[in-house]
Amino acid sequence: MTSSNLAQNNIDLEDLYQEVILEHSRRPRFKSKLDGCDLCEEGKNPLCGDAITVYCKIQRNEHRPPCLSVCFHGSGCSISQASASMMCEALQNVTFEQAKKAIQNAEEIYTGKVSCSDDIEQDVQALYGVSKFPVRIKCAALAWKTMEWLLNHHFDESGSLKQKQEMENQSNTMNAKKKLKVISTDEG
Ligand code: ZN
């Protein structure tokens, strides 16, 4: 369909948003358990029953900052799944700084603070449609909040990984006992 057709048919933006979300939830990108991942965190949205694990692989570079790539696994409503899929698509080979920025931008979209931005992947902008339904914002937020928690937990403010010993303890704990963290997506 050409853009002029789109205009003629006056397709409702909300329908378009819904289509993008449905498409992602039907065919989620980067949905797999990542064996040998460097970091992972689990998040839950008890209000809806969404549960997502975010897996993060870190590619260390000699002269450049390390790059992160993310995939996810879990189950939940179509919004939580679609949002996780969009997030993983946005967070491939990104630096810590880029990941933080993407998470921040996405939050502005799904909370309805901004409706679009050139800095944000087009599909992620579809989450703006969710902002009109406060209960569903928590579904959209889950993957991003879990990823944000992972970054804050494992990296210091400058984007360097926290001490190795600390990380090893973390992964030992993770292997020994799967613990579910309840991510709160409440506003202020
Ligand atoms: Zn949900």
Side-chain angles (χ1 to χ4, degrees):
M1 190 181 282
T2 66
S3 56
S4 65
N5 276 342
L6 269 172
Q8 274 164 20
N9 295 340
N10 195 19
I11 286 181
D12 195 317
L13 249 190
E14 279 181 37
D15 292 341
L16 199 63
Y17 285 157
Q18 206 171 17
E19 199 47 53
V20 175
I21 287 172
L22 280 177
E23 207 277 319
H24 268 275
S25 71
R26 284 192 199 112
R27 289 194 313 115
R29 276 57 135 188
F30 302 99
K31 186 172 181 180
S32 66
K33 287 179 184 167
L34 184 59
D35 286 330
C37 72
D38 297 292
L39 306 168
C40 73
E41 291 293 344
E42 295 177 285
K44 271 185 112 182
N45 172 20
L47 275 175
C48 182
D50 312 317
I52 276 174
T53 305
V54 171
Y55 300 89
C56 180
K57 195 145 187 69
I58 302 167
Q59 196 192 334
R60 291 169 177 82
N61 301 306
E62 218 171 304
H63 302 294
R64 288 178 292 124
C67 278
L68 316 177
S69 291
V70 175
C71 62
F72 82 102
H73 203 262
S75 60
C77 67
S78 55
I79 290 175
S80 70
Q81 295 288 296
S83 184
S85 167
M86 291 169 186
M87 180 185 83
C88 293
E89 207 168 50
L91 301 185
Q92 297 298 317
N93 286 313
V94 293
T95 63
F96 172 83
E97 288 300 328
Q98 288 167 328
K100 288 280 257 192
K101 185 80 189 138
I103 290 168
Q104 217 170 61
N105 287 341
E107 181 166 351
E108 294 192 335
I109 292 282
Y110 63 70
T111 56
K113 289 194 182 78
V114 293
S115 59
C116 62
S117 161
D118 290 343
D119 296 338
I120 305 173
E121 298 224 355
Q122 218 166 0
D123 283 4
V124 174
Q125 298 186 24
L127 293 174
Y128 179 72
V130 175
S131 65
K132 291 164 197 154
F133 307 95
V135 177
R136 310 315 299 276
I137 291 176
K138 295 172 198 299
C139 304
L142 178 63
W144 302 91
K145 289 287 178 192
T146 306
M147 186 61 200
E148 187 176 38
W149 201 83
L150 181 149
L151 292 178
N152 291 341
H153 193 198
H154 295 282
F155 293 80
D156 63 24
E157 278 172 27
S158 70
S160 304
L161 271 166
K162 285 180 183 169
Q163 284 190 6
K164 199 157 180 273
Q165 187 58 48
E166 216 175 309
M167 270 181 64
E168 276 167 5
N169 291 343
Q170 180 73 25
S171 71
N172 286 342
T173 315
M174 231 138 55
N175 292 338
K177 193 177 89 183
K178 274 192 128 191
K179 61 174 188 219
L180 283 177
K181 177 174 164 53
V182 177
I183 303 286
S184 166
T185 50
D186 287 323
E187 291 282 291

